Amino acid sequence: MPFFLRHSPLRVRMTIFLSCCVVVFIVIAYALFETSNNRIVTLCAIPVMVACCLFRLRNASLCTLIILLVSAGLLTLHIHTLQWPVPLIEGFSFGALVIGMELACFSFLTVSLNLSDAARQQSRHAEQQLNLAYEQQQQLEELRDQFLMSVSHELRTPLTEVRGYINLLLEYGNRLDEATQSSFLQSASYGCDELELIIGNVLNMSRVGKDLKPICMQELPLAATIAEICEHVYLQDHSLELNIDADLTVLADRQQLRQVLRNLISNACKYSPAHTSVVVCASPWEDNMVRFCVKDYGAGIGAADVPHLFQKFSRLKRDIASSVRGTGLGLYISKQFVEGMGGRIWVESEGVPGKGSSFYFTLRQPSTTR
Ligand code: ADP
């Protein structure tokens, strides 16, 4: 009897069981009344076996009891008295004992089959988990390789620049005029700034979730702080416009604010054409916050790309394919820093080339300290 029938609906199982009972009892009744063969009652072992296959032990026991009662009823009808002769009582008791044992054996078999079924399912589940873990590990390894490749590529380019200018100065320094020497030194210094920014982002990424909280929140005079930060940002061929409300102060970690502004200004320069301007503004904002804005006039960012922008390693498709270098970490780290300092960061862009993008972030003013 197929044990999988156990998982079919109760209606189906009841139909199978009752059909079996009807057939068997018709045969028993026929044999009993036509041939007076009492032993035919042993056929009721068949519906008991079916009940064991179809139902749990409790219900199978109940079915067995009903089958025995029906058999006893048929025998009583056959001998026309409730007072059974001793051999019939003995025979019936023996039959009931055999059927009880059959019930126990079949139930044991069913339980064993169920257990082995459960064990098989568990091992299949464990195998699936193992495959999933293996795939995840492979994805992680791929991500790590990709990350190492892009970081080493990122580092190599400014490093080559720095080394190139220093070598030029070492080799031809005394033959170069003062203005060229200082321009070479300035370029080498910008290369170092870029290296510092990339290394800062990479180091901070490994700290995300551990100790990226602001270390030293302090009241900063905004105009002076931003001017000082912007002095050390490599603007490529862009002009920088500062539009900061005088006398505005902000509560921030200086190093983190510096890293956020450098990331945003560096992006504004990287992703907009040369000789356009980058505007940095800061003004009071709702809830006693200060709102910063870094605006460029580049290609802009499409609405579909905005939700992915602040995620780890996220770069726009158009930039992955271009020669503009990037690790996809700057905005992610900036978001962690801004949120750590109690602010919010977002971007607004129509995605129209030339109209560019505006990156905004907010920080608290000192009076709102809690
Ligand atoms: P990176 O610049 O090193 O690739 P970021 O996290 O700073 O990493 O920026 C993620 C991506 O967002 C960039 O690769 C670029 O595709 C896009 N992006 C960032 N800033 C701008 C911007 N000002 N204009 C257009 N696209 C930008």
Side-chain angles (χ1 to χ4, degrees):
M1 174 58 74
F3 281 86
F4 66 81
L5 278 175
R6 239 179 187 230
H7 302 293
S8 51
L10 183 67
R11 213 166 352 123
V12 175
R13 286 180 287 148
M14 281 305 284
T15 312
I16 295 173
F17 175 67
L18 288 176
S19 320
C20 174
C21 284
V22 168
V23 172
V24 168
F25 281 116
I26 287 175
V27 173
I28 292 176
Y30 177 79
L32 208 56
F33 294 106
E34 290 298 315
T35 63
S36 290
N37 180 3
N38 285 353
R39 288 198 185 153
I40 196 72
V41 177
T42 50
L43 272 188
C44 64
I46 295 172
V48 171
M49 197 169 72
V50 173
C52 290
C53 295
L54 293 176
F55 305 112
R56 287 177 187 283
L57 179 61
R58 213 174 57 154
N59 291 345
S61 311
L62 201 70
C63 291
T64 308
L65 198 68
I66 294 169
I67 290 164
L68 286 176
L69 285 175
V70 174
S71 315
L74 281 175
L75 283 171
T76 309
L77 277 176
H78 175 55
I79 58 171
H80 302 292
T81 171
L82 275 172
Q83 287 182 339
W84 287 13
V86 176
L88 187 61
I89 293 175
E90 283 175 359
F92 187 81
S93 308
F94 181 70
L97 195 70
V98 170
I99 283 175
M101 282 167 66
E102 183 194 7
L103 174 72
C105 290
F106 262 91
S107 299
F108 176 72
L109 188 65
T110 319
V111 169
S112 313
L113 279 175
N114 280 347
L115 283 178
S116 84
D117 207 33
R120 207 175 316 125
Q121 271 181 11
Q122 263 183 1
S123 85
R124 208 176 302 139
H125 181 68
E127 201 179 295
Q128 279 171 355
Q129 297 281 85
L130 203 69
N131 285 342
L132 199 74
Y134 180 67
E135 270 171 30
Q136 275 174 348
Q137 192 197 350
Q138 278 199 325
Q139 276 173 1
L140 272 178
E141 275 174 19
E142 268 172 34
L143 204 65
R144 190 199 56 193
D145 292 349
Q146 202 183 324
F147 172 67
L148 286 177
M149 251 175 60
S150 86
V151 167
S152 47
H153 176 254
E154 284 301 289
L155 290 175
R156 198 174 306 131
T157 319
L159 196 64
T160 312
E161 260 168 39
V162 172
R163 185 161 351 135
Y165 284 114
I166 290 176
N167 283 346
L168 276 175
L169 282 167
L170 282 175
E171 220 169 301
Y172 306 105
N174 41 12
R175 276 179 269 160
L176 298 172
D177 59 68
E178 222 169 273
T180 317
Q181 280 186 25
S182 104
S183 133
F184 281 7
L185 278 173
Q186 188 65 56
S187 301
S189 161
Y190 285 143
C192 290
D193 283 347
E194 210 182 327
L195 280 175
E196 194 192 337
L197 187 66
I198 297 167
I199 292 170
N201 282 341
V202 171
L203 289 179
N204 286 322
M205 191 211 59
S206 62
R207 283 170 48 210
V208 168
K210 292 177 204 157
D211 55 350
L212 213 56
K213 294 256 173 302
I215 299 165
C216 176
M217 291 292 274
Q218 53 182 309
E219 197 176 322
L220 297 172
L222 218 50
T225 308
I226 293 183
E228 193 265 328
I229 291 171
C230 292
E231 226 172 80
H232 296 97
V233 178
Y234 179 37
L235 293 169
Q236 300 175 13
D237 290 319
H238 295 75
S239 55
L240 184 71
E241 284 175 33
L242 293 183
N243 190 357
I244 317 292
D245 275 21
D247 305 328
L248 205 57
T249 50
V250 72
L251 191 73
D253 178 311
R254 190 188 190 86
Q255 286 311 318
Q256 296 195 351
L257 174 62
R258 182 167 174 262
Q259 184 96 355
V260 173
L261 276 171
R262 284 182 68 184
N263 273 324
L264 296 183
I265 297 172
S266 163
N267 279 350
C269 296
K270 277 197 305 188
Y271 302 109
S272 62
H275 311 298
T276 55
S277 50
V278 172
V279 186
V280 178
C281 324
S283 51
W285 184 245
E286 56 203 32
D287 293 335
N288 252 336
M289 306 287 277
V290 176
R291 188 188 69 169
F292 295 76
C293 171
V294 177
K295 165 143 190 67
D296 64 66
Y297 295 91
I301 298 163
D305 290 319
V306 170
H308 312 287
L309 218 53
F310 295 91
Q311 288 169 6
K312 210 188 278 185
F313 304 127
S314 171
R315 300 200 72 204
L316 301 194
K317 263 200 198 118
R318 104 186 143 211
D319 296 319
I320 295 173
S322 79
S323 60
V324 183
R325 303 190 309 264
T327 51
L329 285 177
L331 291 180
Y332 172 71
I333 295 297
S334 301
K335 183 172 157 56
Q336 309 301 317
F337 279 160
V338 169
E339 289 177 357
M341 289 188 279
R344 192 167 76 80
I345 188 167
W346 71 98
V347 63
E348 285 176 15
S349 176
E350 293 174 34
V352 178
K355 285 200 172 178
S357 338
S358 298
F359 281 83
Y360 295 98
F361 65 95
T362 55
L363 290 178
R364 273 192 236 132
Q365 290 193 49
S367 55
T368 60
T369 326
R370 265 159 248 159

